[in-house]
Amino acid sequence: FTNEREQHIYEFSKDFKFGAASASYQIEGGWNADGKTPNIWDTLVHTRPELIKDQSNADVGADSYHFYKEDVKALKNAGLEVYRFSISWARIVNETNVINQAGIDYYNNLIDELIKEDIEPLVTMYHWDLPQYIEDLGGFQDPILVEHFKFYANVLFKSFGDRVKRWITFNEPWIFCIDGYSSATKPPLIESPGFGEYLCGHHMLQAHAAAYKLYNDDYREQQTGEIGICLFSNFFYPDSGVSPEVAEKTQQFQLGWFTHPIFSSEGNYPKIMIDEIKDKTVDQPLSRLPIMDDEMKNSLIGAADFLALNYYTSRLVAPMTEVHGERSWQSDVGVDFIIDEKWEKAKSWWLYNVPQGLHDLLKWIKAEYNNPTVLITENGYSDDGQLDDDDRINYIKAHLAAIHRAIHQDRCKVVAYTVWSIIDNFEWMEGFTEKFGIHAVNLTSPNKERIAKKSVSFFKDLTDQRQMIF
Ligand code: PNW
């Protein structure tokens, strides 16, 4: 009688799509199969294995390169209607910019299998696995990235655009720019805080705009699809003694960095971000945040048909007490992030269950950008991999309830939800020590069986009945 909460029935219309997500490096294996060249993750796990928590790698892993049909069955078992997966750039284009037919064949087979089972392919073009040869040219710190991405995007639209109707250019630039080019906590391990992350973000935006324009100019009329970008965000609440303006500034620095150029009517980086970074660049004639000229600004305004949002958790914004280096994104924001002790923690050190943050974030997006179409493309819960994953079910239900409130109380245009993840997989620097899947994978068996967890029956019931009780 103490913790009893009033229960509600939440109904989801047929138009709201449920699915699951994955990413190429995390599930495929086949790291050097059939003409695939190395990417920055292959390089990291082979040259610096000690940086991965369990010294593991994804050379084979769940081996979706060979067992993709099992993934499609897993989706079907859960009654899911959308599969968000990513394409491995280094499988499609090799270092001499020659197209690798075996890579094209692999994704053709996967897409055809999905369509046969009536599951929509939702394709991420880039989920962190940059071909090593492009990194060797400077990667996201060099404008050459834009030309290479455009070439790659053209191959994807031409090869798969007859069947793929929703494209996502980049997954979570906030993470891969800061971790990859500023704090050196993920590949390519470049430590250039206060510069590298902004340069990376700038070229990422240019590459996004180039792909969007290419789709508009050469493919949209015939293929009639949509193209968006996938952004990660927390929702930021002010800690006691911190003003709402400071929490708002933080939101602009994290999500606004990429949404303001694309989804606002005025374009460019958020003004507060431009101003704050310039203020903190006193010894430099130029700001560390690259200047967006009018051409770039105009190429980005409106350059997305939807926002793909990855939401996992929230933070409280507190005065800065830790040192974040002389310069960095964090010291530019000028705050620390802390958590509320009441928040329930998952296995991942950063993941706390704060469903209200998703509702508040969706309201923020609606108000800030005139109610864009949003797909929740990642949300999920990590544990030790137990099949009775009640905590995961509880986390997912709470977030679906938050989405439901955002849709029905606030008229936010949320149209889909793809849970992270369809199967347990390689969790980046954490290796296989944290599990996010709704299916387990028998990694030691030759057939890599996918084993349904309890959360699969939750999704099966939800998609059958289009409602849940929570
Ligand atoms: C996402 N954080 O990354 C990625 O898109 C997935 O590839 C990944 O497996 C999944 O979430 C789970 O981690 C995140 O620190 C990385 O708040 C870090 C954070 C959030 C998401």
Side-chain angles (χ1 to χ4, degrees), residues 3-282:
N3 281 326
E4 287 299 327
R5 215 175 24 83
E6 200 188 325
Q7 299 214 315
H8 296 277
I9 296 177
Y10 294 86
E11 288 182 24
F12 290 90
S13 82
K14 258 299 197 192
D15 301 331
F16 188 89
K17 303 293 177 194
F18 290 103
S22 72
S24 46
Y25 184 75
Q26 294 178 278
I27 64 160
E28 283 180 359
W31 79 276
N32 62 355
D34 306 330
K36 177 181 166 291
T37 56
N39 59 49
I40 56 176
W41 279 91
D42 296 314
T43 304
L44 177 89
V45 299
H46 295 151
T47 61
R48 303 292 305 278
E50 73 281 5
L51 296 180
I52 309 295
K53 191 179 245 172
D54 54 1
Q55 274 93 63
S56 67
N57 62 51
D59 286 0
V60 180
D63 201 6
S64 293
Y65 188 64
H66 297 103
F67 295 106
Y68 66 91
K69 286 191 181 166
E70 300 307 309
D71 297 339
V72 178
K73 272 190 211 147
L75 289 153
K76 205 68 202 164
N77 286 340
L80 298 172
E81 321 162 80
V82 180
Y83 184 35
R84 173 180 177 236
F85 63 94
S86 82
I87 292 184
S88 161
W89 191 341
R91 217 183 269 298
I92 297 288
V93 190
N94 76 17
E95 53 200 293
T96 48
N97 265 357
V98 172
I99 297 163
N100 180 32
Q101 190 56 43
I104 307 268
D105 293 345
Y106 170 66
Y107 294 107
N108 269 330
N109 291 338
L110 169 60
I111 292 165
D112 288 346
E113 188 71 15
L114 288 167
I115 287 176
K116 197 174 88 191
E117 296 296 342
D118 226 4
I119 299 170
E120 182 201 332
L122 167 60
V123 176
T124 311
M125 298 158 77
Y126 181 76
H127 198 124
W128 304 0
D129 45 358
L130 189 69
Q132 184 61 47
Y133 75 94
I134 299 178
E135 181 50 40
D136 293 344
L137 300 171
F140 280 88
Q141 289 192 296
D142 194 286
I144 196 76
L145 182 277
V146 182
E147 292 312 308
H148 283 276
F149 188 73
K150 209 170 131 184
F151 179 87
Y152 167 59
N154 191 46
V155 177
L156 298 190
F157 296 148
K158 191 181 291 187
S159 307
F160 311 122
D162 57 335
R163 288 150 295 155
V164 173
K165 300 301 166 194
R166 280 195 275 204
W167 295 97
I168 292 165
T169 52
F170 290 96
N171 179 69
E172 300 183 345
W174 185 81
I175 305 249
F176 75 73
C177 287
I178 291 182
D179 291 4
Y181 295 93
S182 172
S183 63
T185 46
K186 284 194 179 75
L189 300 181
I190 290 180
E191 198 170 352
S192 179
F195 294 90
E197 62 272 58
Y198 298 128
L199 214 43
C200 169
H202 203 69
H203 296 136
M204 184 289 300
L205 282 170
Q206 289 173 342
H208 170 83
Y212 188 81
K213 180 172 182 346
L214 175 69
Y215 194 77
N216 275 357
D217 290 352
D218 295 358
Y219 294 97
R220 188 184 288 276
E221 203 183 345
Q222 226 196 344
Q223 298 185 348
T224 66
E226 296 182 350
I227 174 165
I229 185 167
C230 180
L231 301 173
F232 163 85
S233 194
N234 300 298
F235 188 74
F236 294 103
Y237 295 100
D239 192 22
S240 55
V242 172
S243 71
E245 288 73 29
V246 171
E248 166 67 20
K249 175 181 75 172
T250 310
Q251 201 68 59
Q252 293 293 350
F253 258 82
Q254 187 178 62
L255 184 60
W257 181 3
F258 304 114
T259 43
H260 198 271
I262 298 174
F263 294 93
S264 76
S265 49
E266 62 178 7
N268 205 349
Y269 295 115
K271 186 173 181 309
I272 187 134
M273 198 175 168
I274 296 171
D275 292 348
E276 297 271 314
I277 297 172
K278 199 175 254 160
D279 273 357
K280 290 176 174 134
T281 316
V282 284

Side-chain angles (χ1 to χ4, degrees), residues 26 127 171-172 175 232 312 350 378 420 427-428 436:
Q26 294 178 278
H127 198 124
N171 179 69
E172 300 183 345
I175 305 249
F232 163 85
Y312 286 89
W350 51 269
E378 279 184 39
W420 185 269
E427 178 54 18
W428 309 115
F436 279 89

